[in-house]
Amino acid sequence: MSWFQAAEPLLPDIIRLNTEWRGNHPALRCDGKTVTWRELGASLDRVANAYAGLGLAAGDRVAILMQNSPEMLEAMLGAVCGGYVAVPLNVSVADEGIEKQINDCAARAVVASPEHTPRLERMKLPEGIGQRRITAGETRAGWLDFTALKADADARPPVTSIIASDACNIIYSSGTTGLPKGIVHTHACRMAWAYDMTAALRYHSDARTLISLGLYSNITWVTMLNTILCGGTLVLMRSYDVGSCLAVIERERVSHAGMVPVQFQRLLEAPGFDAADLSSLQSLMCCGSPLLADLKKRIVEGIPGDFIELYGLTEGLVTIQSPADALQNPATVGKPCPGQYLCILDNDDRRVAPGEAGEIVGYGRLLMSGYLNRDDASEEATWVDDLGRRWLRTGDIGRLDDDGNLYLVDRKKDMIISGGQNIYPADIEAVVATFPGVRDVAVIGVTSERWGESPLAVVCGSGIDAAELMQWSNERLGKQQRIADVRVIDELPRNPNGKVLKRELRKEFADALREGSAA
């Protein structure tokens, strides 16, 4: 005798199970309004059927250029539930980049919020997409109305045959180092993210999860997938504003959130922070960019709940630092998420001993299926071990200690080579950040007549004397690490996920060092 073995449920199945078994439970809260799981499930079925009515076939890509809203959530998840591929786009990318991304993924439909429809009208988009331009929140000539399409569509679940290896979504990389690449996640991969991150980040069925970053961000997808898997509640902010964020956490009794370091920094510095009731917070994830030890200490001591730092890539490698280690070992970003492998390679692709720095590579079920239309980039990001397993090259430099904790050293592409010596900006930044008055810092390599490259510190803060800061820092840095100049600016350029755009700083300060300087 054998029992029937059902296939592992995929994201559309989980949503439909929530619709059936948690139908009256809130699925979404936005602007004080509630959408239950039964209501959300019905809306997603209508959206999926509306796409089918426009002639989309299974696997077709739906590009989504929208501000955070319930309609954007429906546009994305409706595509996923219908067997289409959701392609949420970063609204802050320039028109040229958006046009390239929509053409790169060969989108057959595009959904836009009103502020972005004029942008799309100026672009040369894939043939046939003109009949499938959809806008939510306005009536516009030449565009289909999202609300009307949904209202006219069948409310029954679409008849689809989605398998685990089908593409679920494409997320374009943040582009901090050049032209973004489309990162493809399969349905199986997305469910692996959901199961593994739900356990690591302590989600449960009563979770009320704050969504404060754009819905196009993989950070948001992590928190969204976790909440959907548990049948919890998504608390959606249309945009991040520190004052509003504190009010939303308090009013909505938010329990879980995923934010980037600069968001935590602004929360702590907000005028209303001390008076805000944040007692509902249970689990806070921080990721997206390096977290300085001082800021980590302030978060752990100043904000309730378990603080969990996550180092990871949209491509699929993730490490987790448990709350217990946050203050005991603040310099580390933890250990690989259970089920993942991680090792460090030297320049000859040989594994290094604990304590030695090299490129971080990882292997596990969270890995993307590859970069869209970029076999060359996929191969470049691959290391094959002696067992034939394909590992992801992160492009990050790190080291492991004897207990298996990972320490980030720097981005491989940000490394400075001065006088033939490798210099890691993160080591210098950690020292400069402790100078009184420094709020933010980025160290870049600029051309030096004498050394080829020399470190330059770009800082933000109040009352900073550049010469004093440079002397103070150089007294504490190694001889090879000494900075050649300091520039004080108001804000560091960052992408929406909080990563410093060092390529912009390198461009702005390329000629900062004059010939014959001490550099």
Side-chain angles (χ1 to χ4, degrees):
M1 177 179 177
S2 63
W3 293 99
F4 171 72
Q5 297 295 314
E8 182 177 343
L10 302 176
L11 184 56
D13 303 309
I14 296 296
I15 291 171
R16 292 188 182 109
L17 288 169
N18 287 344
T19 300
E20 180 173 359
W21 300 111
R22 295 183 65 77
N24 292 326
H25 189 80
L28 175 66
R29 288 278 297 167
C30 184
D31 297 336
K33 298 177 181 178
T34 299
V35 178
T36 66
W37 274 108
R38 184 173 292 111
E39 291 167 336
L40 180 60
S43 290
L44 299 185
D45 287 340
R46 287 183 179 277
V47 172
N49 288 323
Y51 289 147
L54 295 176
L56 294 188
D60 282 346
R61 288 80 183 254
V62 180
I64 300 158
L65 187 68
M66 304 179 74
Q67 303 297 132
N68 277 11
S69 63
E71 292 79 10
M72 182 177 181
L73 186 72
E74 292 177 355
M76 290 194 317
L77 294 181
V80 171
C81 288
Y84 313 111
V85 183
V87 190
L89 302 173
N90 182 341
V91 295
S92 68
V93 171
D95 289 0
E96 180 184 4
I98 293 293
E99 181 177 330
K100 287 180 178 178
Q101 290 171 25
I102 293 176
N103 282 281
D104 180 59
C105 73
R108 296 200 66 220
V110 61
V111 190
S113 46
E115 54 268 62
H116 299 296
T117 52
R119 300 177 62 188
L120 291 162
E121 288 174 346
R122 296 191 294 266
M123 300 177 193
K124 185 176 181 180
L125 301 179
E127 186 177 353
I129 205 173
Q131 289 74 48
R132 302 184 189 90
R133 295 189 305 178
I134 307 165
T135 184
E138 70 170 356
T139 300
R140 188 176 180 88
W143 289 75
L144 301 169
D145 181 74
F146 183 82
T147 303
L149 281 174
K150 188 174 67 170
D152 293 340
D154 195 330
R156 291 175 296 182
V159 179
T160 58
S161 181
I162 302 170
I163 60 175
S165 59
D166 287 342
C168 175
N169 65 265
I170 300 169
I171 293 183
Y172 278 86
S173 62
S174 59
T176 58
T177 56
L179 181 66
K181 299 183 286 290
I183 299 165
V184 182
H185 296 122
T186 65
H187 278 269
C189 175
R190 270 326 193 184
M191 286 311 300
W193 277 88
Y195 285 117
D196 293 356
M197 294 295 98
T198 291
L201 300 175
R202 297 155 169 75
Y203 275 72
H204 52 76
S205 60
D206 291 321
R208 296 177 67 84
T209 305
L210 180 69
I211 303 293
S212 60
L213 289 169
L215 284 164
Y216 54 78
S217 166
N218 193 58
I219 299 171
T220 296
W221 273 70
V222 170
T223 55
M224 181 178 70
L225 290 169
N226 297 345
T227 309
I228 292 172
L229 180 64
C230 292
T233 304
L234 298 169
V235 179
L236 181 64
M237 293 184 67
R238 292 182 183 269
S239 61
Y240 179 78
D241 170 80
V242 66
S244 299
C245 185
L246 287 171
V248 168
I249 293 172
E250 186 170 351
R251 182 179 66 249
E252 298 290 345
R253 305 304 294 163
V254 167
S255 62
H256 292 66
M259 296 193 289
V260 297
V262 68
Q263 289 181 293
F264 282 106
Q265 180 180 332
R266 289 172 182 170
L267 275 182
L268 291 165
E269 295 172 353
F273 176 78
D274 291 335
D277 178 7
L278 307 181
S279 60
S280 61
L281 292 173
Q282 299 173 18
S283 175
L284 297 171
M285 174 185 77
C286 183
C287 59
S289 62
L291 178 63
L292 295 175
D294 178 64
L295 178 57
K296 183 184 293 189
K297 183 174 185 292
R298 290 167 58 202
I299 295 169
V300 172
E301 294 179 345
I303 302 179
D306 289 338
F307 180 75
I308 303 170
E309 185 176 5
L310 183 154
Y311 159 71
L313 287 76
T314 303
E315 287 88 338
L317 176 67
V318 176
T319 67
I320 302 286
Q321 185 188 48
S322 69
D325 290 337
L327 292 183
Q328 293 178 6
N329 201 355
T332 176
V333 291
K335 298 180 180 181
C337 178
Q340 287 206 315
Y341 299 85
L342 182 152
C343 71
I344 309 295
L345 301 179
D346 65 15
N347 291 333
D348 295 317
D349 286 347
R350 296 173 301 197
R351 299 187 192 220
V352 304
E356 295 183 24
E359 184 174 11
I360 304 165
V361 299
Y363 169 79
R365 67 177 188 160
L366 301 185
L367 294 185
M368 64 176 180
S369 58
Y371 292 115
L372 181 69
N373 302 326
R374 290 293 306 276
D375 289 345
D376 59 330
S378 297
E379 286 301 315
E380 185 180 347
T382 299
W383 173 64
V384 181
D385 67 12
D386 52 7
L387 297 177
R389 297 179 299 184
R390 297 172 65 83
W391 296 58
L392 173 71
R393 294 182 182 273
T394 65
D396 289 335
I397 303 296
R399 59 181 177 84
L400 294 169
D401 64 18
D402 290 331
D403 292 326
N405 292 298
L406 176 66
Y407 298 76
L408 297 182
V409 176
D410 225 313
R411 283 288 300 167
K412 197 171 184 178
K413 292 182 179 179
D414 289 340
M415 185 175 68
I416 301 167
I417 302 177
S418 181
Q421 300 294 316
N422 293 344
I423 299 174
Y424 298 110
D427 293 338
I428 304 173
E429 290 163 356
V431 172
V432 176
T434 61
F435 183 79
V438 171
R439 176 170 50 85
D440 214 348
V441 56
V443 172
I444 58 173
V446 293
T447 302
S448 164
E449 290 283 336
R450 184 175 180 184
W451 302 110
E453 279 189 309
S454 286
L456 179 142
V458 184
V459 301
C460 308
S462 57
I464 297 174
D465 181 284
E468 181 184 354
L469 169 58
M470 187 166 79
Q471 179 180 346
W472 182 92
S473 299
N474 285 343
E475 288 172 355
R476 291 160 175 79
L477 292 166
K479 184 177 180 180
Q480 294 289 342
Q481 297 175 312
R482 291 173 185 168
I483 53 181
D485 202 357
V486 172
R487 298 300 171 95
V488 182
I489 63 175
D490 293 332
E491 294 289 340
L492 295 178
R494 295 179 181 272
N495 71 12
N497 287 343
K499 292 181 181 178
V500 176
L501 298 173
K502 287 194 173 182
R503 70 171 186 273
E504 293 190 9
L505 294 176
R506 283 190 287 264
K507 182 178 180 181
E508 181 177 354
F509 297 108
D511 299 320
L513 301 182
R514 297 189 303 274
E515 183 177 351
S517 71

